[in-house]
Each structure stands twice: as structure tokens, then as C-alpha cells.
Amino acid sequence: YALSAAGKGGLKGSEGGRGTVYDDTQAKEGGCKSGCTTYDPPEVKGYPTIGIGHKIEKDERARFQGNLLGGTPLTEQEIEDLFSEDINSRVKQLNKYLGDAEVTQEMYDALFSLGFNLGMHAKAMKAIYASIKSKDYVKAANLIAAGPDTSKGVSSAGLRERRQKEAHEFASGGTPSSS
């Protein structure tokens, strides 16, 4: 399986794109939603992020040090290249977790969006994979709709809306046997 062009476009719409390091919890008061000068609290309340939803891990901080606010933003091409790296690694992860389970393209795109946000290995994802492998697609869609909608323990209306969109997309193409 692979992420479709529509799935990639939807993910870009959900994640947005920025050339400087930002706080992924943009709605929180005090966060550096327009750009961060550091990776750490109190400025960063959530996760330091760059490009199109690329969470900066601690071992990547040196790589993106020059992209903190006041530094040089990533170019559009660098943002696209980083997004492609993220997509390629996550496609491999998602395909590994799905194994030989059958999904429609819409299901795959929805799962990819959810996994891009949560991590393909997240506990919520594992329950969804199990439902798909047992061909209980209704349960999988319900698990997506009820999926995690918090960041660092704080509820997010934006994540609740995203989970509903992902659940709708998951169900929109029918089941693999009817596609």
C-alpha cells in the first residue's frame, strides 16, 4: 500500500507547514505558535515541530537548530523533502503493522493520517490494526472516531475534529470486499 495524492494533500491540510520550529500545541496560551527560539519549556508547551508536522526528536535538535525563530527558515523544497522522508518511513511502518490485512485506499489514507499524528506504534493504532485484521471495519472506524484527542494531556477540539474526519474517510470507500 501507499499514501495517495489525496491522502498526502489531506495530511498537508491537517498539519500545515512551517519553515521554522513551532509548538505543535498552537492553541495553548503562551506557546510559540508563530515560531520558537528554544526547544524547551516554558516557551514550548507541546512538542517542537517543523515543516509539515515533523516532530523534532531530541537527537534531531542539532539538525534543526538553525531553524529556530530568528534563524534561517527551511525552504519550500526542504519542507517537501522532509515531508517525503516522513511519508516514506511511515508507509513502511504502516504496511508492516497491517501485514496482509485488506484495506481500501480511503482506509489506508485515514490510517496514515491518524498514525502520522499519533505514531504508527501507538496503543490506539494497535487496537485499530487488530480490528482490521479481524475484518471488523465498523469497530475500526469507531475506534478512530473515539481516538486520542489530547496533546500532553490537554484536550484539543482540533484533534477531535481530525479524528471525526479520519473516521469518515476510513468508512467512505466501503469495505475491501465491496471496493
Side-chain angles (χ1 to χ4, degrees):
Y1 293 105
L3 183 66
S4 72
K8 185 176 179 180
L11 194 55
K12 281 183 170 182
S14 294
E15 294 288 342
R18 299 192 190 164
T20 56
V21 177
Y22 64 95
D23 184 344
D24 79 327
T25 56
Q26 300 164 34
K28 287 185 179 178
E29 289 297 317
C32 52
K33 55 188 169 187
S34 60
C36 303
T37 58
T38 180
Y39 291 116
D40 302 308
E43 186 176 352
V44 177
K45 307 284 187 197
Y47 297 103
T49 308
I50 196 163
I52 302 169
H54 179 87
K55 178 181 167 188
I56 301 171
E57 301 294 346
K58 286 189 179 190
D59 65 352
E60 293 182 301
R61 288 182 175 191
R63 176 181 177 187
F64 297 108
Q65 187 69 31
N67 308 114
L68 289 165
L69 191 63
T72 305
L74 294 176
T75 65
E76 288 299 318
Q77 187 60 56
E78 289 170 326
I79 291 171
E80 284 296 321
D81 290 348
L82 182 59
F83 188 48
S84 291
E85 287 175 30
D86 289 343
I87 287 173
N88 291 338
S89 69
R90 286 182 176 92
V91 161
K92 290 176 187 170
Q93 292 171 4
L94 181 55
N95 288 345
K96 177 183 164 202
Y97 282 111
L98 286 173
D100 60 0
E102 294 180 70
V103 293
T104 65
Q105 185 64 56
E106 293 84 358
M107 288 175 176
Y108 190 86
D109 289 350
L111 290 168
F112 192 93
S113 175
L114 182 64
F116 190 90
N117 187 242
L118 300 179
M120 296 298 176
H121 61 281
K123 182 178 178 181
M125 293 296 292
K126 290 179 182 178
I128 294 164
Y129 301 143
S131 296
I132 291 168
K133 288 178 179 181
S134 67
K135 299 185 186 246
D136 192 344
Y137 300 107
V138 172
K139 181 177 180 181
N142 290 336
L143 287 169
I144 293 169
D149 61 3
T150 61
S151 180
K152 289 205 170 181
V154 177
S155 186
S156 165
L159 288 177
R160 272 192 302 282
E161 180 181 330
R162 182 170 173 169
R163 298 295 92 91
Q164 297 310 305
K165 286 181 181 176
E166 290 161 345
H168 175 76
E169 180 179 16
F170 183 89
S172 70
T175 60
S177 58
S178 66
S179 59

